Structure formats: structure tokens, C-alpha cells
Amino acid sequence: MLGWESHLAQVRLLQPGWSTGYGRRFVAERPTWIGIVPVGYADGFRRDLTGTEVRVGGEIRPVVGTVSMDAFAVELDRELPVGTPVVILGHGVLAERHAAVAGTITYELVCGIGTDPTRARRVVLG
């Protein structure tokens, strides 16, 4: 089984008209809580995964804005503490869903997950 996890590194309340992501790709229409996850395309979380979903604190939440080299944003339904776990793959978050959003196949996505030990730590379980 493949799992990929991170955490919320920042949490901010965007006011209407405020944005997140390069090019103001996500603009808040109402007060909106946003969490920043310190994983980006340099780690294998591709730019075309904007719009997919991840599990934040046990709840499925949408990825919004433009995925950057080092981070992506998730829309939250309330303020959550920094450090809240984020499941990118596993525990009901399927590579098949990510692949459908990115318009590719699961194999291409999972092979692209970074191997640079200075960016991410890989753990082999059991």
C-alpha cells in the first residue's frame, strides 16, 4: 500500500477578493479558511492536481489555487491548527482520483513522487 502524508504548515483566513496561488488562480468569494501544505511539484505533487482532493484532519478537502514548487493550498471549512495531518495518498484518497483530475494514469503519478531525501522522507512499513 502506498501512502503519502504531510501537514498544514500555515492556516490563513482569506477575505473576499483575496487570493492564493500564482496568477490569483483562487480568489475567495467569501471569508475562506486556507491551509498551506509544504508539498509541491518538486516533490511530485504535480501542477495539474489543482482541483483534486486530499484528507485534512480526517476530512476530504479540495486543493485550490496553483500548485507551486514547494506548496499547495487546500480550502478548509474552518480554522484548523498548524500541524494538522494531511493525507495526500492513502486512507481513502485514491491515486485514481488524482489521475482523473490530472488527465493521466496512476502509474505516471506515483512514479513521479520525489525521491530527494532532503525534501521528503520515505518509510517502508512491514
Side-chain angles (χ1 to χ4, degrees):
M1 178 172 121
L2 174 65
W4 191 4
E5 299 179 2
S6 189
H7 63 280
L8 295 179
Q10 291 184 16
V11 176
R12 297 281 185 262
L13 180 61
L14 298 184
Q15 296 301 322
W18 293 8
S19 62
T20 188
Y22 299 137
R24 293 181 44 110
R25 190 165 175 185
F26 176 84
V27 179
E29 295 178 2
R30 58 183 170 24
T32 305
W33 286 102
I34 295 292
I36 303 299
V37 181
V39 172
Y41 61 79
D43 304 297
F45 193 81
R46 297 162 38 139
R47 289 175 53 90
D48 53 10
L49 287 173
T50 295
T52 195
E53 297 174 329
V54 296
R55 189 174 297 278
V56 181
E59 300 174 5
I60 295 293
R61 303 305 308 160
V63 173
V64 297
T66 304
V67 175
S68 72
M69 182 169 67
D70 296 316
F72 67 87
V74 293
E75 184 176 350
L76 306 173
D77 61 354
R78 65 189 183 284
E79 183 178 14
L80 292 173
V82 167
T84 298
V86 175
V87 176
I88 301 167
L89 279 173
H91 302 286
V93 180
L94 304 177
E96 289 83 0
R97 167 75 173 125
H98 289 335
V101 169
T104 189
I105 60 174
T106 57
Y107 185 77
E108 182 179 12
L109 287 181
V110 299
C111 285
I113 296 173
T115 59
D116 182 345
T118 64
R119 296 193 60 88
R121 183 173 57 97
R122 286 188 175 213
V123 178
V124 177
L125 302 174

